[in-house]
Each structure stands twice: as structure tokens, then as C-alpha cells.
Amino acid sequence: MHLTEGTSDIQISHLHWDHIGDPSLFPNAEIILGEETQTMLANRVYPANPEGTITELPKANKCTFVSFDDPSESSKRFKIISPLGTFARAVDLFGDGSVYLVDTPGHCPGHMSCIARIAEGTFVFLAGDLCHLREAYDPGTRLINRKMYEDIETARDTVRRLAALNREVASMVVILAHEVDRLQEGMPLFPKDIREWAIEMVEKRKK
Ligand SMILES: [Zn+2]
């Protein structure tokens, strides 16, 4: 889950319980999800589906689904930026280049990542569960584990795109949701500000 400072948006990378937190704490926030997430909401939500593993989203929150292909429907307010770097599909969330939502499929339907500009020319790539270990994208030698991905071939393609972007863009820090290495590197956790730390990490990368 990514809360965007100064706005009422919550962007959720995907619907797994360890990524949605408690949106009911932000009843006025608009929840932004990938378009294909709708299939999970239709079929896998408990208690409508007693076998469902997805928690119902609070009814108070407005949900908006990002369509990467068709800006005329639910996501008409997002500017399509496709391709963005090595990724085929993305949107500019506010139309000002500060936050991009990137289609990063494979882990589960509708999985999205987020690129935030934290300073002039400096970015963080909040990957969610695009992959789960740093070695998968840096240096990119480790194959991802089939068990963690609903569509393994698509996930492998997505990880290759991340590895390529990471090689190309030195002024970017990738953060996987479960990347323990970042904690060992002193990454501040919410609600602390990540920007100063991320700029330091970029400076290190450029050396
Ligand atoms: Zn997940």
C-alpha cells in the first residue's frame, strides 16, 4: 500500500492481505487498483466466497481501477505513458511526472508497482511483490520461485524488465515489499520520510 502525501489517494499494489493494511482508517481516501484486480474482487473475496482469501475492501472508500489501455473509461483521469522505460504499460497518476503506476503482472491479477520522483531526476521504484529477493533483479541471476506467482512466465518477463531498468537508471532505488536487505541498509519505515535515505542510496550507486 502506498499513501500519497498531500492527497487522499491510496494506491494498492495488489490485494494480498499483507499489502492492504487497514484502508478503513482512511475512509475518505480513494483506493487505486489495477484493472485486472476486479476479477479477484469478483471471485475471491471472503465472506462472499467462503473459500476466499481476499479481505473485503471497506465500502466507504471509492475504488478506481487503472486501465492502461483505455483512458476513456474508469481511469480517464490518468495519463497513459506507455512504454515507460523498460515497462510496456504505465500511467502518470497526477499528470505532473511525480508518481507513475506501472503494470507489473505475474504475481497476481492486476499487480502494479509505483515509481515516485523524490527529487529532481531521482526516483524510488516501489515494486510490491513484483519479486521477493534482490538477487532476482540485481544482478538478476536468481530465478523466481514458481510458488509465489500465479503466472510464472509473465512474472519472469516482468522481473527481466525490472532488472533492465535498474541497470539503465542509476538514479533510482528499487524497494521490494519483502526485500530484507533494505532494512539492513537502514531504510526508514512509515511514517518516517524515505527521501533523504533514498538520495543517499542513489549517491552510493553512482560511485
Ligand atoms: Zn502478494
Side-chain angles (χ1 to χ4, degrees):
M1 178 167 83
H2 308 128
L3 282 168
T4 309
E5 187 181 15
T7 75
S8 56
D9 293 328
I10 302 176
Q11 184 254 314
I12 292 180
S13 63
H14 64 298
L15 285 178
H16 289 157
W17 63 271
D18 54 331
H19 292 263
I20 64 170
D22 184 2
S24 70
L25 296 172
F26 308 93
N28 299 319
E30 181 178 357
I31 296 175
I32 300 170
L33 296 152
E35 189 176 35
E36 291 84 4
T37 303
Q38 289 175 96
T39 62
M40 287 178 88
L41 287 170
N43 303 314
R44 299 195 214 171
V45 171
Y46 181 89
N49 175 356
E51 306 291 319
T53 54
I54 305 298
T55 309
E56 201 170 23
L57 292 170
K59 293 202 168 40
N61 294 86
K62 180 181 180 216
C63 282
T64 298
F65 298 92
V66 174
S67 168
F68 291 100
D69 299 317
D70 182 6
S72 65
E73 292 305 323
S74 59
S75 66
K76 61 187 172 207
R77 66 192 180 86
F78 306 125
K79 186 174 164 193
I80 290 181
I81 311 281
S82 301
L84 177 63
T86 56
F87 286 90
R89 308 201 302 170
V91 297
D92 181 336
L93 183 58
F94 302 114
D96 63 359
S98 60
V99 180
Y100 299 98
L101 303 181
V102 186
D103 183 34
T104 49
H107 177 59
C108 66
H111 187 280
M112 288 194 300
S113 301
C114 174
I115 300 177
R117 186 188 303 266
I118 53 163
E120 188 59 41
T122 306
F123 302 89
V124 290
F125 190 112
L126 303 170
D129 281 353
L130 187 162
C131 59
H132 297 76
L133 290 168
R134 180 176 298 179
E135 293 76 19
Y137 75 88
D138 181 15
T141 47
R142 185 166 177 148
L143 272 184
I144 56 173
N145 184 332
R146 188 173 292 276
K147 276 188 285 190
M148 310 283 252
Y149 305 88
E150 293 196 22
D151 180 344
I152 188 70
E153 291 310 321
T154 300
R156 287 194 172 131
D157 176 65
T158 300
V159 174
R160 277 192 289 270
R161 289 172 188 271
L162 177 62
L165 190 70
N166 186 55
R167 276 194 300 274
E168 275 176 30
V169 184
S171 59
M172 181 181 81
V173 181
V174 174
I175 302 168
L176 309 179
H178 299 280
E179 188 175 2
V180 69
D181 318 54
R182 291 297 182 207
L183 297 179
Q184 290 155 358
E185 290 163 353
M187 182 180 74
L189 297 178
F190 183 81
K192 288 185 187 152
D193 195 320
I194 202 173
R195 284 175 286 194
E196 200 178 312
W197 172 86
I199 289 166
E200 268 175 37
M201 298 303 290
V202 163
E203 292 305 318
K204 272 190 200 162
R205 283 197 72 187
K206 287 178 175 173
K207 278 177 189 163

